[in-house]
């Protein structure tokens, strides 16, 4: 294996300096001449029929500019998901609707000269509703008593199902020494990326330019082309600096409305979400119910696994079926009998969409808690039990055809156990009348790029005469550090300094197509495209040098040789550009994923249970990942720590709650939707195993979503062992008092 | 009714006419004073993205009226510099420790760190956590932010030790 000089080295991110000085430009920092501020008027009811819209009071507000009504938008159904076209992305959403099916559904849009006037005008719009009785739960969707929400797609509120089988699960249960069964529930959660959803749409002279905090500029261009009738060449979507995504930006939100309003008013239109709109009128993680049955032998061999798995997608399809399908492909144990019995259901709850983990998180929680019970029943160590059943290189996941090409799970286990032992050596593991401390373990995995293998990306590299290069990629950096990572790959391959690479990304007019920032694809899919583009660039340069020198040119991996002369990369480019028979030096490539190699992870949590208070305190969380080659270990560890924090949040305190008196979501601000603060986190210990994935760029696999997946079962397994109570529902604040991480000074 | 407000913004006295009574300091800074680093994350004092230093103390500018800032010193990230005119040690530490991901919380985090270190040059881990828990970060899990504050504190102590 080659020694890396830039890849696998920690480097400060290229754009950090701008962010720490306040110079980084986010979409809401931008103003265009003539720009109007617009606001979406949304349904306060979870299910209703609009019977009248009266704009007269709004029109009298000084500064009022105009409005867009449901009657003025194309009568088209669409799917907002930023995914490549698929039969699973069923169309049922309207740009503006007269039949809102969730609280926050878009009715109309008003625009004004100032933000203040816009808020006043929006408040002055009078909408009359005929209220219908909504339903929110999976139970109600499945039991069939409610009117179907999307009758053109399903005559019930079960929208879509997916079954994946291997062997015969029932037979397997009969062959087992014991069978355990239970039902688990995960409520919806919200991404709470710190930057609210925002877009500016500017239509002029037949061309539409959009700035938005998007994860998927090319998918959005395609969908907006269908909705507006403008060809893709007449739509330009530019992604400025983005303040986090986690899947929240893998859907179109206000862009169709703002685009059409800009076409009507012939002025740029800016729409920014309030935090309340973010929480329940954008997208949430699918509420999940997993009914698990697991059969095993006394020696710990898992013989059969059955999961009846429900995901609540809200009233619209969005990503529902794709999330369900993805959840089926993340079972990393090599067992003979497997039955994934999945259902995607509709209800009037907040619309669900893509969120870090994408169907894996909810099911992994249920599965890893059940496996822990198997460990306790057999008396086996929880690591040993899982390792005994774990998939190996050359093997496959149940119900999947692809072989596992790299797996360092044993190394991850060793690293985690060593760290846990070190922590216990230092502080002990207490058990007395007041408290009991315990460790919990969970294993996880994900994919590198979508497990449906839709990953498609490309890169263009232009060489400059001073030996620097310009790298163009469609890949959207949403804060995870993809731009720096891709430059590191390019610098490593071209053997030029990182500082001599200038990257431009995610502008549909300039950068080549990338499927989008989702499915943990940027390293594996776009990274492979960049790697191939580098090879193409070097080959083009070599061939051009040969033409110019009128002799066969060779490349030894660092230097070029032709006609008895030796050239560095920069010297070769200058020679080629400024000599007779010369050329411009460009390399480009596209990469279509053939595989989605699985990264693996082990998470351990140490929790402390206070008997008299029935309270829980988290003390430590350890994670070790097998992600092949970490392109930038510093960035990877940042992803691990961030993923853990989101896992802590959704295990301990986060939930989008339905207020049954108001008949709509009640989690409408950050006081009620409680995300972890610095004081809420335990000590984090993150490690990267030594590993290499042959099909990955420089041997890399993904890390972005992986790190959130095992956190909730690790914490729950710790708490169930410390408290002696079974836990089947999240968040834990419903069952325990949650204590802050440390005694605070002066408190 | 409209008012005139005088604030000392990043060491420069600025006068703003036509200020409404209900205008927040965040509105004034972003819409009239050309300040972009203060972000609007929640408009209700929960997230800290709008943090400014008001006479040196941490304040959520979305919950502070522009009128209340009259005659006071307001510091935002745009005004933060090192002694040599380059990056402040806190800014450099955030870069070096990998504490910056999407960056949206960073202006607030850096100002909160500055207020902490100005008053307490050698804070304990608990003190850092208490001081920084008015700022939400969704990307980093806070670990590298905490480390950046520690290493900035050390860098600042070393520098002043050299006088």
């Amino acid at each position: 294996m080659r020694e890396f000089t830039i890849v696998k080295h920690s480097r400060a991110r290229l754009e950090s300096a701008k962010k720490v000085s306040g110079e980084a430009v986010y979409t809401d920092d931008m103003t265009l001449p003539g720009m109007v501020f617009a606001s979406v008027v949304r349904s306060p009811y979870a299910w209703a029929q609009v019977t009248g819209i009266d704009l007269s009071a709004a029109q009298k507000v000084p500064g009022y500019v105009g409005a867009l009504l449901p009657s003025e938008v194309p009568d088209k159904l669409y799917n907002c998901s930023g995914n490549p076209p698929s039969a699973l992305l069923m169309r049922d959403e309207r740009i503006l609707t007269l039949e809102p099916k969730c609280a926050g559904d878009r009715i109309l849009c008003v625009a004004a000269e100032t933000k203040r006037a816009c808020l006043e005008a929006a408040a002055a719009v009078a909408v009359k509703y005929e209220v219908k009785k909504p339903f929110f739960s999976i139970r109600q969707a499945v039991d069939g008593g409610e009117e179907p929400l999307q009758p053109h797609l399903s005559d019930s509120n079960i929208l879509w199902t997916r079954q994946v089988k291997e062997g015969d699960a029932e037979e397997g249960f009969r062959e087992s020494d014991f069978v355990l069964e239970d039902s688990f529930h995960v409520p919806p959660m919200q991404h709470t990326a710190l930057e609210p959803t925002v877009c500016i749409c500017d239509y002029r002279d037949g061309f539409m330019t959009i700035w938005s905090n998007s994860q998927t500029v090319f998918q959005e261009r395609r969908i907006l082309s269908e909705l507006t009738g403008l060809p893709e060449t007449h739509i330009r979507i530019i992604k400025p600096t983005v303040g986090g995504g986690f899947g929240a930006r893998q859907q179109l939100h206000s862009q169709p409305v703002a685009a059409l309003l800009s076409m009507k008013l012939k002025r740029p239109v800016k729409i920014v979400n309030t935090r309340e709109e973010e929480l329940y009128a954008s997208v949430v993680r699918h509420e999940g119910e997993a009914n698990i049955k697991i059969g095993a032998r006394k020696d710990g061999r898992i013989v059969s696994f059955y999961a009846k798995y429900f995901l609540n997608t809200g009233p619209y399809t969005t990503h529902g079926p794709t999330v369900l399908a993805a959840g089926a492909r993340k079972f990393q144990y090599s067992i003979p009998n497997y039955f994934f019995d999945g259902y995607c259901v509709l209800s009037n709850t907040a619309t669900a969409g893509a969120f870090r983990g994408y169907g894996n998180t909810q099911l992994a929680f249920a599965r890893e808690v059940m496996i822990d019970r198997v460990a306790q029943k057999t008396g086996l160590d929880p690591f040993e039990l899982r390792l005994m059943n774990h998939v190996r290189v050359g093997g496959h996941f149940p119900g999947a055809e692809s072989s596992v090409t790299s797996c360092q799970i044993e190394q991850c286990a060793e690293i985690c156990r060593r760290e846990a032992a070190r922590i216990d050596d230092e502080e002990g593991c207490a058990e007395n009348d007041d408290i009991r401390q315990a460790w919990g373990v969970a294993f996880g995995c994900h994919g590198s790029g979508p497990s449906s293998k839709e990953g498609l990306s490309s890169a263009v590299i232009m060489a400059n005469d001073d030996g620097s290069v310009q790298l163009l990629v469609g890949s959207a950096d949403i804060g995870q550090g993809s731009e720096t990572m891709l430059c590191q790959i390019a610098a490593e391959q071209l053997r030029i300094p990182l500082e001599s690479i200038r990257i431009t990304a995610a502008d549909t007019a300039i950068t080549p197509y990338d499927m989008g920032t989702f499915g943990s694809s940027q390293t594996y899919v776009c990274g492979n495209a960049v790697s191939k583009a580098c090879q193409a660039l070097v080959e083009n340069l070599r061939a051009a040098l040969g033409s110019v020198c009128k002799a066969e040119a060779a490349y030894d991996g660092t230097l070029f040789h032709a006609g008895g002369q030796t050239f560095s990369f920069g010297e070769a480019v200058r020679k080629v550009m400024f000599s007779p028979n010369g050329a411009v030096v460009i390399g480009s490539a596209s990469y279509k994923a053939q595989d989605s190699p699985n990264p693996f992870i082990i998470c351990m949590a140490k929790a402390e249970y206070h008997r008299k208070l029935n309270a829980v305190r988290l003390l430590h969380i350890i994670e070790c990942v097998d992600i092949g080659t970490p392109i930038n270990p510093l960035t990877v560890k940042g992803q691990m720590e961030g993923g853990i924090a989101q896992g802590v949040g959704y295990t301990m305190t986060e939930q989008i709650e339905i207020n049954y008196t108001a008949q709509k979501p009640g989690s409408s601000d950050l006081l009620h939707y409680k995300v972890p603060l610095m004081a809420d986190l335990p000590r984090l210990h993150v490690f990267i195993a030594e590993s290499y994935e042959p099909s990955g760029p420089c041997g890399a696999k993904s890390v972005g979503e992986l790190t959130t997946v095992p956190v909730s079962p690790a914490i729950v397994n710790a708490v169930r062992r410390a408290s002696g109570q079974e836990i089947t529902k999240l968040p834990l604040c419903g069952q325990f008092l949650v204590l802050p991480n440390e005694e605070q000074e002066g408190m | 009714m409209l008012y005139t407000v005088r604030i000392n913004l990043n060491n420069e006295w600025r006068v703003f006419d036509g200020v409404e009574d209900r205008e927040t300091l965040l509105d004034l800074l972003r819409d009239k004073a050309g300040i972009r680093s203060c972000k609007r994350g929640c408009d209700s004092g929960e997230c800290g993205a709008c943090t400014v230093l008001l006479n040196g103390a941490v304040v959520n500018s979305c919950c502070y009226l522009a009128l209340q800032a009259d005659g006071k010193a307001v510091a935002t990230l745009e005004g933060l510099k090192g002694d040599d005119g380059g990056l402040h040690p806190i800014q450099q530490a955030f870069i070096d420790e990998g504490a910056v991901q999407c960056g949206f919380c960073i202006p607030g985090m850096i100002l909160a760190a500055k207020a902490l270190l100005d008053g307490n040059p050698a804070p304990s881990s608990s003190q850092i956590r208490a001081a920084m828990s008015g700022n939400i970060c969704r990307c980093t899990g806070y670990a590298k932010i905490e480390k950046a504050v520690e290493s900035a504190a050390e860098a600042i102590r070393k520098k002043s030790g050299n006088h």
Side-chain angles (χ1 to χ4, degrees):
Chain A
M1 212 173 295
R2 196 184 77 179
E3 278 297 309
F4 297 114
T5 52
I6 299 176
V7 159
K8 209 172 178 183
H9 287 70
S10 292
R11 299 293 288 256
R13 288 177 20 169
L14 302 175
E15 78 290 348
S16 292
K18 277 210 169 128
K19 289 173 177 173
V20 301
S21 62
E23 287 166 31
V25 177
Y26 299 80
T27 307
D28 192 28
D29 297 330
M30 298 173 56
T31 306
L32 267 58
M35 191 175 82
V36 298
F37 297 87
S39 185
V40 176
V41 174
R42 298 178 183 276
S43 170
Y45 302 107
W47 205 358
Q49 194 69 43
V50 172
T51 55
I53 298 175
D54 181 359
L55 290 176
S56 52
Q59 287 162 338
K60 295 199 186 79
V61 170
Y64 173 88
V65 171
L68 192 71
L69 297 172
S71 54
E72 295 175 291
V73 306
D75 184 21
K76 288 181 180 170
L77 294 176
Y78 71 105
N79 183 305
C80 64
S81 304
N83 280 19
S86 158
L88 271 56
L89 300 173
M90 298 174 286
R91 296 165 188 230
D92 52 16
E93 217 173 316
R94 291 193 181 281
I95 298 169
L96 294 171
T97 182
L98 290 172
E99 191 193 345
K101 296 179 183 171
C102 58
D105 221 346
R106 300 177 294 270
I107 310 297
L108 66 135
C109 185
V110 294
E113 299 286 356
T114 65
K115 267 190 303 221
R116 176 76 62 197
C118 175
L119 288 174
E120 279 183 30
V125 173
V127 182
K128 283 217 196 70
Y129 298 90
E130 208 171 81
V131 182
K132 295 168 80 160
K133 187 166 185 308
F135 66 98
F136 301 101
S137 73
I138 291 173
R139 253 331 90 211
Q140 286 168 295
V142 169
D143 288 346
E146 309 291 340
E147 191 190 317
L149 275 163
Q150 302 295 352
H152 68 292
L153 295 179
S154 171
D155 53 20
S156 74
N157 285 304
I158 297 176
L159 176 70
W160 194 77
T161 64
R162 163 63 55 104
Q163 294 193 336
V164 176
K165 288 182 180 173
E166 182 146 325
D168 182 339
E170 277 311 309
E171 184 62 37
F173 291 129
R174 284 191 283 275
E175 289 167 12
S176 305
D177 289 334
F178 63 89
V179 176
L180 301 178
E181 228 180 308
D182 211 340
S183 185
F184 296 80
H185 182 260
V186 175
M189 294 119 194
Q190 219 278 327
H191 317 58
T192 319
L194 213 56
E195 182 194 22
T197 302
V198 54
C199 68
I200 301 174
C201 294
D202 182 20
Y203 179 75
R204 58 183 74 214
D205 304 322
F207 287 84
M208 177 77 68
T209 309
I210 299 177
W211 292 264
S212 69
N213 49 0
S214 166
Q215 290 176 220
T216 52
V217 293
F218 286 93
Q219 305 304 343
E220 291 173 11
R221 183 181 69 170
R222 179 179 53 76
I223 300 170
L224 285 168
S225 172
E226 288 172 21
L227 291 176
T228 60
L230 294 170
E232 289 187 11
T233 46
H234 287 48
I235 299 175
R236 178 180 186 180
I237 304 185
I238 303 167
K239 180 205 74 65
T241 309
V242 169
F246 319 114
R249 330 292 191 190
Q250 198 195 333
Q251 288 78 215
L252 279 169
H253 295 287
S254 307
Q255 297 94 321
V257 173
L260 290 170
L261 188 54
S262 183
M263 289 170 91
K264 178 179 176 184
L265 299 177
K266 303 206 173 13
R267 294 176 68 173
V269 173
K270 179 193 266 192
I271 300 182
V272 191
N273 272 11
T274 62
R275 183 53 60 182
E276 179 169 358
E277 286 173 309
E278 282 299 282
L279 283 168
Y280 66 79
S282 62
V283 286
V284 299
R285 175 180 268 123
H286 291 75
E287 174 189 8
E289 184 185 303
N291 307 297
I292 306 280
K293 207 167 152 183
I294 185 166
R297 280 201 268 275
K298 283 193 284 255
D299 68 355
R301 284 263 167 232
I302 300 173
V303 176
S304 188
F305 181 88
Y306 171 64
K308 192 165 188 189
Y309 186 44
F310 296 91
L311 291 176
N312 187 348
T313 200
Y316 300 111
T317 303
T318 73
H319 291 262
T322 46
V323 169
L324 186 68
R329 289 186 278 258
K330 305 293 191 302
F331 191 90
Q332 67 208 83
Y333 301 100
S334 198
I335 65 173
N337 304 293
Y338 174 80
F339 182 11
F340 172 93
D341 187 16
Y343 300 79
C344 178
V345 308
L346 297 165
S347 76
N348 300 107
T349 196
T351 302
F355 192 169
R356 199 174 197 171
Y358 211 77
N360 187 1
T361 8
Q362 302 92 319
L363 188 53
F365 158 59
R367 173 194 85 211
E368 289 294 311
V369 173
M370 288 304 282
I371 288 179
D372 214 48
R373 294 190 197 175
V374 170
Q376 286 177 310
K377 184 135 177 101
T378 56
L380 281 168
D381 171 273
F383 273 97
E384 292 315 315
L385 175 75
R386 289 175 172 84
L387 290 172
M388 177 194 303
N389 289 284
H390 203 270
V391 79
R392 299 264 176 275
V393 171
H396 68 277
F397 284 22
E401 307 88 31
S402 320
S403 286
V404 173
T405 43
S406 60
C407 180
Q408 287 292 334
I409 199 77
E410 272 107 355
Q411 197 195 140
C412 291
E414 202 197 301
I415 291 171
C416 283
R417 298 175 89 154
R418 198 165 47 215
E419 182 67 4
R422 185 194 68 74
I423 290 169
D424 282 350
D425 273 346
E426 233 174 62
E427 59 181 49
C429 196
E431 180 167 354
N432 55 48
D433 287 339
D434 288 325
I435 64 170
R436 183 174 177 193
Q437 295 174 346
W439 285 96
V441 182
F443 282 25
C445 72
H446 205 68
S448 301
S451 48
S452 53
K453 297 188 203 140
E454 294 167 304
L456 175 65
S457 189
S458 57
V460 171
I461 310 181
M462 307 186 295
N464 300 320
D465 61 272
D466 64 357
S468 66
V469 303
Q470 282 153 231
L471 172 60
L472 308 181
V473 288
S475 164
D477 190 325
I478 54 172
Q480 81 283 38
S482 58
E483 287 182 17
T484 303
M485 175 274 297
L486 294 169
C487 287
Q488 282 180 267
I489 292 176
E492 183 73 48
Q493 299 249 207
L494 297 174
R495 304 288 209 176
I496 60 178
L498 186 61
E499 294 68 33
S500 59
I501 302 182
R502 177 75 185 266
I503 185 167
T504 303
D507 176 338
T508 61
I510 300 174
T511 62
Y513 182 94
D514 175 271
M515 170 197 73
T517 295
F518 61 89
S520 299
S521 13
Q522 294 315 299
T523 303
Y524 186 77
V525 181
C526 192
N528 267 331
V530 169
S531 187
K532 286 176 68 178
C534 288
Q535 287 166 29
L537 178 73
V538 163
E539 177 48 33
N540 291 346
L541 179 53
R542 187 204 63 76
L545 189 64
S547 294
V548 160
C549 295
K550 294 195 168 57
E552 186 65 25
Y555 177 65
D556 67 14
T558 312
L559 299 170
F560 294 82
H561 307 273
Q565 290 181 281
T566 299
F567 304 86
S568 68
F569 178 83
E571 286 163 351
V573 173
R574 273 188 80 78
K575 179 80 176 169
V576 163
M577 284 179 71
F578 301 135
S579 303
N581 290 320
V584 173
V585 185
I586 300 177
S588 71
S590 85
Y591 178 75
K592 176 87 186 188
Q594 304 299 310
D595 281 296
S596 175
N598 303 98
F600 295 96
I601 187 168
I602 297 181
C603 183
M604 293 183 78
K606 186 174 186 183
E608 179 178 275
Y609 176 68
H610 294 245
R611 301 182 203 275
K612 290 174 190 148
L613 296 174
N614 190 40
V616 170
R617 167 177 281 139
L618 290 181
L619 302 177
H620 297 272
I621 295 186
I622 303 170
E623 273 195 351
C624 184
V625 292
D626 159 17
I627 56 162
T629 303
I631 304 294
N632 185 329
L634 186 64
T635 313
V636 166
K637 290 185 176 176
Q639 285 294 291
M640 294 177 75
E641 289 157 354
I644 292 173
Q646 290 196 351
V648 167
Y650 100 70
T651 306
M652 306 303 287
T653 55
E654 290 178 42
Q655 56 175 328
I656 295 290
E657 292 183 85
I658 300 294
N659 180 317
Y660 285 95
T661 307
Q663 293 277 279
K664 61 192 237 187
S667 311
S668 54
D669 60 39
L670 295 176
L671 188 63
H672 293 88
Y673 189 78
K674 171 100 177 73
V675 302
L677 305 170
M678 195 186 274
D680 295 321
L681 281 223
R683 294 287 155 203
L684 307 185
H685 313 264
V686 295
F687 302 90
I688 305 171
E690 208 34 64
S691 176
Y692 190 87
E693 165 53 46
S695 69
C698 307
K701 293 189 280 194
S702 81
V703 72
E705 293 171 89
L706 177 72
T707 61
T708 304
V709 169
V711 179
S712 69
I715 292 174
V716 166
N717 286 338
V719 174
R720 53 184 290 277
R721 282 165 183 264
S723 68
Q725 296 179 39
E726 273 314 340
I727 296 163
T728 57
K729 292 186 185 3
L730 297 180
L732 294 190
C733 64
Q735 192 171 341
F736 303 93
L737 187 65
V738 175
L739 299 174
N741 177 243
E742 297 170 345
E743 311 281 337
Q744 307 240 310
E745 284 176 26
M747 288 169 86
Chain B
M1 199 183 151
L2 299 176
Y3 297 85
T4 295
V5 169
R6 280 181 76 243
I7 63 176
N8 183 311
L9 177 59
N10 295 325
N11 283 317
E12 191 194 325
W13 282 101
R14 305 270 299 268
V15 179
F16 300 97
D17 296 318
V19 177
E20 291 183 36
D21 50 7
R22 56 190 173 164
E23 202 166 321
T24 65
L25 181 56
L26 181 64
D27 292 333
L28 182 80
L29 289 172
R30 283 184 69 80
D31 299 341
K32 295 180 176 157
I35 294 294
R36 284 200 302 220
S37 68
C38 299
K39 307 297 186 194
R40 192 183 309 272
C42 72
D43 239 358
S44 51
E46 291 297 329
C47 75
C50 67
T51 301
V52 298
L53 296 184
L54 205 92
N55 290 347
V58 167
V59 155
N60 287 323
S61 62
C62 71
C63 287
Y64 198 85
L65 294 177
L67 292 185
Q68 288 176 282
D70 186 46
K72 299 200 168 93
V74 175
T76 69
L77 192 61
E78 282 86 345
L80 188 64
K81 283 188 214 325
D83 293 334
D84 57 358
L87 290 176
H88 189 280
I90 297 175
Q91 291 169 308
Q92 192 61 54
F94 269 67
I95 295 175
D96 296 339
E97 296 293 344
V100 183
Q101 292 193 30
C102 85
F104 205 77
C105 75
I106 290 302
M109 287 287 184
I110 290 180
L111 292 177
K114 174 136 202 321
L116 169 69
L117 296 181
D118 282 351
N120 180 352
S124 68
S125 164
S126 286
Q127 287 169 328
I128 294 176
R129 285 174 161 232
M132 307 291 290
S133 285
N135 296 79
I136 294 178
C137 173
R138 213 37 175 159
C139 294
T140 67
Y142 304 104
K144 295 190 186 330
I145 293 178
E146 188 177 339
K147 181 105 203 312
V149 176
E150 281 170 6
S151 75
E154 198 186 314
I156 293 170
R157 284 196 304 272
K158 272 211 180 93
K159 260 187 163 183
S160 54
N162 284 341
H163 286 319

